[in-house]
């Protein structure tokens, strides 16, 4: 079994919340689970570290990334900047084919919203909005930031408690995009992202006990 396959399996489990932020990924247990030596496990962990999924410490321990609330707030601030900019650029370049693809992604995300695939559907919709901008590096940065958020959302058991609200946001963004109304679309998206940040931080461990 290749290191890439092991890394892909562990990455899926991390973003689904099977490993909590800060939890150790033990090489011996992983090797035993996959019935392999520790060498491909170490390679897999190096891959995950390069993707920002885990941190490797000097004593060779690997832990799922665990950020502080201030760091999460910074990530969401960056998301607002990158995603609203990408949306504006995309609206300027959207074709009818792009709009059709967004409509399809919106329909699928609305169905996925009430399943355990809600996060995948959410990203598929947002990705469809940003793709027309033709900014691959920016889109990759957005995806990486969103993945970090998802690790903490899933790891702390934060489910979309306001599904109807964020689906309404999607609907309103889509309506603004159809009308080529960049200002409205960006405003809704900014609030949408900030609301997601507030939801995550409100569920942060020991948050109510912090000074």
């Amino acid at each position: 079994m290749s290191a890439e396959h092991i890394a892909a399996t562990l990455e899926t489990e991390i973003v689904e919340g099977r490993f909590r932020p800060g939890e150790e990924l033990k090489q011996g247990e992983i090797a035993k689970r996959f019935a392999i030596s520790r060498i491909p496990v170490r390679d897999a962990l190096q891959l995950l570290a390069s993707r920002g999924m885990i941190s490797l410490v000097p004593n060779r321990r690997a832990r799922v990334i665990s950020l502080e609330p201030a760091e999460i707030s910074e990530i969401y601030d960056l998301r607002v900047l990158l995603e609203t900019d990408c949306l504006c650029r995309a609206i300027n370049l959207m074709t009818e084919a792009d709009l059709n693809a967004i409509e399809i992604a919106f329909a699928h995300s609305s169905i996925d919203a009430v399943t355990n695939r809600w996060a995948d559907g959410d990203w598929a919709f947002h990705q469809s909005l940003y793709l027309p901008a033709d900014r691959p590096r920016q889109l990759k940065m957005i995806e990486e930031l969103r993945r970090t958020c998802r690790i903490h959302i899933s790891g702390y058991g934060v489910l979309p408690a306001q599904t109807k609200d964020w689906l309404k946001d999607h609907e309103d963004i889509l309506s603004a995009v159809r009308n080529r109304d960049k200002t409205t679309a960006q405003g809704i998206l900014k609030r949408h992202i900030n609301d997601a940040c507030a939801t995550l931080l409100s569920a942060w461990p020991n948050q109510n006990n912090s000074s």
Side-chain angles (χ1 to χ4, degrees):
M1 185 174 295
S2 70
E4 183 63 45
H5 177 80
I6 298 167
T9 300
L10 294 174
E11 179 173 343
T12 297
E13 293 176 347
I14 290 170
V15 297
E16 289 181 350
R18 300 185 199 181
F19 295 99
R20 291 173 60 84
E23 185 173 346
E24 182 179 354
L25 301 178
K26 298 179 179 179
Q27 292 187 23
E29 292 181 0
I30 296 172
K32 182 177 180 181
R33 171 185 168 190
F34 289 99
I36 55 174
S37 71
R38 293 196 181 199
I39 295 176
V41 174
R42 286 199 295 269
D43 292 341
L45 295 178
Q46 288 288 350
L47 284 172
L48 291 176
S50 70
R51 297 170 188 170
M53 306 286 295
I54 66 172
S55 58
L56 295 174
V57 293
N59 60 2
R60 295 183 179 275
R61 288 188 176 182
R63 295 185 183 277
V64 178
I65 57 169
S66 179
L67 303 181
E68 295 298 321
E71 293 173 299
I72 290 293
S73 293
E74 180 182 4
I75 286 174
Y76 275 96
D77 287 344
L78 290 171
R79 282 186 53 190
V80 167
L81 293 173
L82 290 170
E83 294 187 42
T84 56
D85 174 75
C86 207
L87 179 61
C88 180
R89 293 174 185 273
I91 291 174
N92 288 332
L93 298 172
M94 279 180 190
T95 64
E96 284 302 314
D98 293 325
L99 286 171
N100 288 337
I102 294 168
E103 296 271 6
I104 293 170
F106 170 73
H108 284 298
S109 70
S110 298
I111 295 171
D112 290 338
V114 293
T115 73
N116 59 6
R117 287 183 49 81
W118 68 268
D120 293 328
D122 181 61
W123 169 232
F125 172 68
H126 283 272
Q127 185 181 42
S128 72
L129 289 170
Y130 309 147
L131 278 171
D134 193 24
R135 304 271 288 189
R137 290 179 178 83
Q138 187 169 349
L139 189 61
K140 184 177 180 181
M141 292 171 66
I142 291 169
E143 184 174 12
E144 290 174 351
L145 291 172
R146 289 176 63 96
R147 184 186 299 118
T148 299
C149 294
R150 184 177 173 185
I151 290 171
H152 290 78
I153 289 169
S154 299
Y156 293 139
V158 182
L159 297 176
Q162 297 174 319
T163 302
K164 290 184 179 179
D165 291 338
W166 58 264
L167 282 179
K168 182 61 166 57
D169 287 345
H170 284 187
E171 183 179 352
D172 291 343
I173 291 170
L174 178 55
S175 177
V177 166
R178 287 196 201 102
N179 294 325
R180 309 284 179 168
D181 186 345
K182 292 180 289 186
T183 300
T184 299
Q186 287 180 297
I188 298 169
L189 178 59
K190 179 179 180 179
R191 177 177 52 75
H192 181 72
I193 295 171
N194 284 333
D195 286 350
C197 179
T199 298
L200 174 56
L201 293 180
S202 69
W204 207 265
N206 301 319
Q207 185 71 3
N208 294 330
N209 295 328
S210 62
S211 57

